[in-house]
Amino acid sequence: MNEYVKIKGMGYATAQRRVNNTDFTWLDTSDEWITSRTGINSRYVTETENTSDLALRAAVSAIEDAGIDKRDIDTIIVATFTPDMLTPSVASILQAKLGLNDCPIMAFDLNSACTGFVMAFQTVSAFIQTGRTKTALIVGAETLSKVMDWHDRGTCVLFGDGAGAFICTNQGTQHVASHFANSRGDLEDVLSAEGLKLQDISDAQPLTSGTLKMQGQAVFRFAVDAISDGIRQVIEKSGLTLDQIDYIIPHQANLRIIAHVASKMKIPQEKFITNLERFGNTSAASIPIAMAEAKANGILKEGQRIIMVGFGAGLTWAGSTVEL
Ligand SMILES: CC(C)(COP(=O)(O)OP(=O)(O)OC[C@H]1O[C@@H](n2cnc3c(N)ncnc32)[C@H](O)[C@@H]1OP(=O)(O)O)[C@@H](O)C(=O)NCCC(=O)NCCS
């Protein structure tokens, strides 16, 4: 079913410290290996900011871009699997940091790992459709550096910290969205993380638990199928053809995954917006960061049709088409 939702504003926040491939001096790796296998040249890692701090900066920027009164926000959803603490939610912490304590707001976090932001968008779209929500702030925010084993060269070089945010409203009726989502909970071993710990990456000690564990090749194969399936499903549901889509914004995990999808589905690679070369994989933050950056650079414009498509731990995958 198609739903009406307007993305009125977008914003993003990069973490404080830029880490280039050549900075991994404690690992047996190389810039050449990382770049050729992933397309990633650098990523940003937090030094003092937690997930809610990055979320706040992205939210303020999205509110500014939308030109709304922040007091109109009635719903805050934060997609994350690296919250500041187990409870309260990052969404509630964010409400306080935005100075909206006296506003009636439904605030909660949503965890669907790297698919989380697309799930948050779908959730808010449904809330808007029913009239439950009028103005929503949705954020994808992660401090993945807390759950990295910084000695696991096959995993830690891929990820970064950051946040991206949208203001979504019920304004107008022309902004149609169609959605698809799926999950394979039995594949939890392929990508999982047990707990949350802050680490100083310059003085990182080997950790035995609580870190992100990944079967790289299995995730790679899953990712190619998940993105292709997500695109196909939302195209079918929307009644559009791929030619009518201006850009696809995939989860920013690996340039080779995106290239495989492009070649398999015969979609020109220029149709895929990527910024993983500079940001790495920021999980739930990756799609809104890529979109907000593309909007700020004048690539994404009013009236365009786009597909957001994510995949991640669960295993989960989801896609949405939306008219900007
Ligand atoms: C992780 C990934 C880059 C590894 O690339 P790959 O081509 O599959 O590499 P392999 O896992 O087969 O490893 C090949 C070799 O490189 C080594 N290697 C792994 N990481 C390395 C690194 N950073 N630097 C140098 N060598 C590395 C491996 O140890 C292995 O060595 P061996 O042949 O001596 O055993 C790739 O599988 C991938 O991107 N998968 C998807 C991950 C992902 O997107 N996760 C997030 C999902 S939300």
Side-chain angles (χ1 to χ4, degrees), residues 86-101:
L86 294 178
T87 194
S89 68
V90 177
S92 288
I93 298 170
L94 184 57
Q95 174 191 15
K97 287 189 172 172
L98 282 166
L100 297 176
N101 297 323

Side-chain angles (χ1 to χ4, degrees), residues 28-29 33 37 114 153-154 214 216-217 219-220 251 253-254 281:
D28 181 12
T29 189
W33 192 97
R37 303 282 176 129
C114 304
R153 66 179 181 170
M214 184 182 75
Q217 291 189 358
V219 175
F220 194 104
H251 171 46
N254 182 323
N281 177 346

Side-chain angles (χ1 to χ4, degrees), residues 19 55 63 92 95 113 131 147 155 178 214 236 240 244 256 270 298:
V19 179
I63 290 165
S92 288
Q95 174 191 15
V147 297
T155 303
S178 69
M214 184 182 75
E236 199 179 302
L240 298 168
Q244 294 172 290
R256 278 168 55 224
E270 308 80 70

Side-chain angles (χ1 to χ4, degrees), residues 145-156:
S145 54
K146 293 189 298 200
V147 297
M148 280 308 130
D149 175 349
W150 289 98
H151 291 268
D152 176 1
R153 66 179 181 170
T155 303
C156 72

Side-chain angles (χ1 to χ4, degrees), residues 297-310:
N297 292 340
I299 297 164
L300 288 186
K301 298 188 193 78
E302 195 83 11
Q304 288 174 336
R305 292 195 189 97
I306 59 131
I307 292 177
M308 296 181 259
V309 58

Side-chain angles (χ1 to χ4, degrees), residues 264-285:
K264 197 174 135 189
M265 297 189 75
K266 300 190 177 24
I267 303 172
Q269 207 163 323
E270 308 80 70
K271 215 168 192 145
F272 291 84
I273 288 179
T274 60
N275 67 0
L276 62 90
E277 332 46 276
R278 286 168 288 116
F279 287 86
N281 177 346
T282 55
S283 187

Side-chain angles (χ1 to χ4, degrees), residues 56 63 78 135 287 293 313:
L56 175 66
I63 290 165
V78 177
T135 305
I287 290 175
E293 196 192 34

Side-chain angles (χ1 to χ4, degrees), residues 23 39 46 82 116 125 151 154 160 168 202 212 235-236 242 246 254 277 291 312:
D23 294 333
T46 187
T82 50
S125 176
H151 291 268
C168 297
S202 309
L212 191 73
I235 279 291
E236 199 179 302
L242 263 174
D246 294 285
N254 182 323
E277 332 46 276
M291 283 185 61

